Amino acid sequence: MATEDTTQQANPSEEEDAIGRIPTPPFRTPKGVHDILPHDHDFHTYIKKIVRHRCRQAGFKRISTPTFEFTEVFKRSVGEATDIVSKEMYTFEDKKGRSLTLKPEGTASICRSYIQHGMQDWPQPVELFYIEPHYRYERPQAGRYRQFWQFGFEVLGEADAALDAQAILLPYRIYEDLGIVDTLKLQINNIGDLDSRTQYAEALRDYYYGKERYLSDEDKIRLEKNPLRILDSKHEDTMILNQSAPRFSEFISQESKDYHDEVLEYLTDLGIEYTLNENLVRGLDYYSQTVFEFWDQKKGAQNSVGGGGRYDGLMELLGGPPTPGIGFAMGIERVIAQMKRNKVRVPSKDNLHVFVAQLGREAKKVCLPLMDELRERGVKTMGALGKGAIRNQLTIADRFKVPFCVLIGLTEVREGTAIIRDMTVGTQKTVKMEKVVDEVIKRIGIKNLDYYNPKEPANE
Ligand code: AMP
């Protein structure tokens, strides 16, 4: 999943080998995007289940915003000088020349939606969560893709240090449920209000002016556009310079300091360990006050599995009423990688209970309603409905690792019976057709059935 894909769409006229397979497939996914194959879907399903459960418990409701928005939504909110807007957006024109962008992050769209649907009239705070793909034109590498899934949430309409602590507690509990919390370290900072940040930006400019030759090209641009971002630099010389740069603590207002202390106090009361990280500013312009990230203990900033912060001025940037907000987003691919490294196993519900093998058209006629009834009663059933000798069908059943097979040949059709074969021990028994489903269920065990009624509240 993490390997760089250099083979782009090869020549579609590639020749087939003797058994009809194409040695080098003519089409592959574009660089930086991936198929999610069934095995990884087990992880996605598991993560989604935990996320939904935790969010529901805390009163969050799910929202989905469109895959693309007017480009201006991101330019205004995320900020023109940020990496995301200046380099990483998938922007295109529609047929009428309007500029649209595949969403690179979730917060801007949700704030746009809050304003558009008058959510300020809903009971506050409005708590929303999402699980969606996002798109950034980044250089693909391990944990960095061009399409990636994020779970995220926003709490809109109220500002309080307790809400910030809650916005950290929720992902903390989710990481705990996912079995990776011990591999992560919470980094936290307070980046103050706009006034103190403006003063600090000026002080940073004064400090770096005259030292430009030590800065990377990228950091030189940051110096003009958003000097706070230099503190995030991974460039070695810049990192050395950063050690003696003015500290934000000299500029932060007493109000922000008190706010920060209050958040930290709540975290301590909740038993959540944190690392104070003055260099954490996050890549987006809209943050103010609390910012936080969950880093891999060993890889640090290179492997942030989630992050968020407060953004009290964002709604106004998008033309809405002054509305405080705090949000969080985690990268699902990175979480899965972290779970795999940590050897977390997830349940797979794709395993089959029964394979139905048949011979002949008459048998097929009996098979279809039988398979339907098995499934209706919660037995995960697959059948070899194509042509093929029973022996071949049993080989297929073996490859699907089913515990039981039901075999129906001409004799069974004539006698109104079926053979139930235990694939583990290799024994088999002939039973009356009308008893087949009950017998199969008895062997599988009622508690293992995959039964749900769409009209009943689902467990998912
Ligand atoms: P951000 O708001 O940019 O910090 O993104 C939130 C989380 O999304 C990060 O902590 C990562 O886990 C994940 N993420 C961000 N960009 C990517 C990417 N290009 N590929 C995979 N995951 C990403």
Side-chain angles (χ1 to χ4, degrees), residues 136 138 143-145 148 150 282 304-307 329-331 334:
R136 294 185 195 172
E138 298 199 75
R144 201 167 285 284
Y145 311 115
F148 56 97
Q150 276 185 337
R282 310 244 323 125
S304 162
V305 292
M330 83 181 190
R334 287 201 202 168

Side-chain angles (χ1 to χ4, degrees), residues 159 164 189-197 228 248 252 256 259 281-282 284-292 308-314 323-327:
D164 298 24
N189 191 19
N190 182 299
I191 56 168
D193 52 26
L194 194 60
D195 264 359
S196 32
R197 269 206 314 285
L228 266 76
F248 188 50
I252 194 169
S256 293
Y259 190 91
V281 291
R282 310 244 323 125
L284 291 72
D285 275 2
Y286 54 58
Y287 287 110
S288 59
Q289 305 286 17
T290 307
V291 291
F292 61 97
R310 179 156 285 290
Y311 47 83
D312 292 347
L314 173 57
T323 313
I326 184 160

Side-chain angles (χ1 to χ4, degrees), residues 158-350:
E158 259 181 30
D160 194 283
L163 286 173
D164 298 24
Q166 185 191 254
I168 294 170
L169 175 64
L170 181 55
Y172 183 87
R173 288 277 176 251
I174 288 171
Y175 292 134
E176 206 170 48
D177 291 348
L178 293 170
I180 56 172
V181 79
D182 294 338
T183 69
L184 306 178
K185 195 133 198 126
L186 169 65
Q187 310 283 312
I188 187 165
N189 191 19
N190 182 299
I191 56 168
D193 52 26
L194 194 60
D195 264 359
S196 32
R197 269 206 314 285
T198 312
Q199 285 173 31
Y200 183 46
E202 274 316 305
L204 285 176
R205 278 203 185 92
D206 287 347
Y207 171 76
Y208 291 108
Y209 280 149
K211 304 183 182 75
E212 288 93 334
R213 63 184 181 284
Y214 302 112
L215 297 178
S216 68
D217 289 346
E218 192 174 31
D219 291 326
K220 280 184 197 138
I221 297 170
R222 288 172 170 165
L223 179 56
E224 294 314 317
K225 294 194 164 166
N226 185 359
L228 266 76
R229 295 273 290 115
I230 300 180
L231 302 172
D232 251 356
S233 178
K234 307 286 174 295
H235 183 248
E236 257 181 55
D237 287 348
T238 313
M239 284 166 79
I240 295 169
L241 268 188
N242 286 350
Q243 288 171 8
S244 318
R247 297 268 148 217
F248 188 50
S249 44
E250 297 158 29
F251 296 84
I252 194 169
S253 66
Q254 191 55 45
E255 207 185 337
S256 293
K257 274 185 192 160
D258 294 343
Y259 190 91
H260 193 40
D261 288 344
E262 200 181 331
V263 175
L264 299 180
E265 216 177 296
Y266 289 129
L267 292 180
T268 306
D269 289 349
L270 289 165
I272 299 177
E273 282 180 32
Y274 54 82
T275 305
L276 295 174
N277 183 343
E278 267 202 64
N279 286 347
L280 185 74
V281 291
R282 310 244 323 125
L284 291 72
D285 275 2
Y286 54 58
Y287 287 110
S288 59
Q289 305 286 17
T290 307
V291 291
F292 61 97
E293 284 188 0
F294 287 90
W295 289 359
D296 176 79
Q297 298 226 2
K298 293 191 191 112
K299 295 188 182 163
Q302 296 298 341
N303 198 18
S304 162
V305 292
R310 179 156 285 290
Y311 47 83
D312 292 347
L314 173 57
M315 209 67 89
E316 283 155 286
L317 289 176
L318 289 171
T323 313
I326 184 160
F328 167 82
M330 83 181 190
I332 292 184
E333 288 82 356
R334 287 201 202 168
V335 165
I336 292 175
Q338 197 77 2
M339 290 170 76
K340 287 183 178 170
R341 270 196 294 277
N342 220 25
K343 308 226 166 2
V344 177
R345 294 174 69 88
V346 296
S348 171
K349 292 202 164 177
D350 290 345

Side-chain angles (χ1 to χ4, degrees), residues 76-130:
R76 288 248 194 120
S77 53
V78 178
E80 299 246 17
T82 58
D83 284 355
I84 291 183
V85 171
S86 64
K87 297 192 291 205
E88 295 170 1
M89 296 209 299
Y90 277 93
T91 297
F92 58 97
E93 274 189 4
D94 72 2
K95 291 190 177 175
K96 294 207 166 144
R98 288 170 291 221
S99 180
L100 301 168
T101 293
L102 299 185
K103 63 181 169 193
E105 58 98 53
T107 305
S109 303
I110 291 180
C111 289
R112 190 266 309 134
S113 179
Y114 182 95
I115 300 165
Q116 181 173 340
H117 299 288
M119 292 186 204
Q120 65 267 29
D121 297 332
W122 297 9
Q124 307 290 303
V126 174
E127 297 185 325
L128 300 167
F129 78 100
Y130 58 89

Side-chain angles (χ1 to χ4, degrees), residues 20-49:
R21 284 182 317 208
I22 300 170
T24 311
F27 295 107
R28 299 176 68 97
T29 46
K31 207 169 171 174
V33 301
H34 302 275
D35 298 317
I36 305 174
L37 297 179
H39 175 66
D40 270 338
H41 259 299
D42 288 342
F43 281 88
H44 276 257
T45 306
Y46 186 70
I47 294 169
K48 272 186 212 163
K49 210 168 167 176

